[in-house]
Amino acid sequence: MTLQGNEVQFTTQDKITKPAVFMDTGTQNITRVETTVGFNSEILDGGNNAALSGVNYGHIQLTAGGYYRISYSIPINDDSSSAADRTRVFCFMQTDDNDAFSSPTTVAQSRSQVYTRENSGGSGLSTSFIYEHTGEDYIRLRIDAQNN
């Protein structure tokens, strides 16, 4: 890589990386039972490198191996109950070589948590991290709460 004034020029580059964006177009309740964040819509995949599993809701297969910057942002809405519930919500990413996630590996640097209170208007959690991916493997986000 050579820096020249306002330009960045790459002298060698094997592949230009392009983002992939997925979202859930519905809502999902967060409980004390760990569940997969249910992505159901592919918004952008300029590199044609990522795909939602046709079998398991929220599983994403990345075809190319290498280093990825993974970012997620999850809004948490107040469910408007009268209880003044206080809890922490946790989220993290797992990877596996199969869509059934029979032997998942948690990506340590993917963990995020937030403290939230009922009747506070909602909250959210997000993180961004670097992760080394093995080609053709799957990823998923898992989420749960300390209290219901």
Side-chain angles (χ1 to χ4, degrees):
M1 182 170 74
T2 307
L3 294 178
Q4 296 177 340
N6 295 340
E7 296 180 8
V8 177
Q9 297 176 349
F10 294 92
T11 54
T12 60
Q13 184 173 357
D14 294 324
K15 181 176 26 172
I16 297 174
T17 57
K18 297 180 180 177
V21 179
F22 296 89
M23 70 177 285
D24 182 6
T25 58
T27 60
Q28 180 175 345
N29 289 329
I30 302 170
T31 67
R32 294 185 340 202
V33 177
E34 185 182 294
T35 58
T36 298
V37 174
F39 298 112
N40 64 3
S41 182
E42 182 177 323
I43 305 303
L44 174 69
D45 183 12
N48 200 25
N49 177 47
L52 285 170
S53 166
V55 178
N56 291 304
Y57 193 57
H59 296 181
I60 299 169
Q61 185 179 33
L62 300 173
T63 56
Y67 286 95
Y68 284 79
R69 184 183 70 176
I70 306 284
S71 300
Y72 63 83
S73 177
I74 301 172
I76 301 170
N77 295 328
D78 186 338
D79 68 6
S80 301
S81 73
S82 59
D85 181 30
R86 293 178 168 94
T87 191
R88 290 185 296 163
V89 177
F90 307 93
C91 189
F92 56 90
M93 189 181 88
Q94 290 180 325
T95 183
D96 207 335
D97 63 358
N98 62 81
D99 194 20
F101 277 80
S102 56
S103 298
T105 300
T106 298
V107 179
Q109 66 271 27
S110 70
R111 294 186 180 276
S112 180
Q113 72 178 37
V114 67
Y115 174 81
T116 186
R117 244 177 47 186
E118 196 65 57
N119 296 320
S120 67
S123 186
L125 53 84
S126 65
T127 193
S128 185
F129 57 95
I130 303 295
Y131 152 74
E132 186 175 10
H133 183 75
T134 301
E136 303 296 331
D137 279 6
Y138 292 82
I139 62 172
R140 68 180 179 182
L141 292 180
R142 301 289 281 172
I143 194 165
D144 66 332
Q146 185 177 28
N147 301 314
N148 283 341

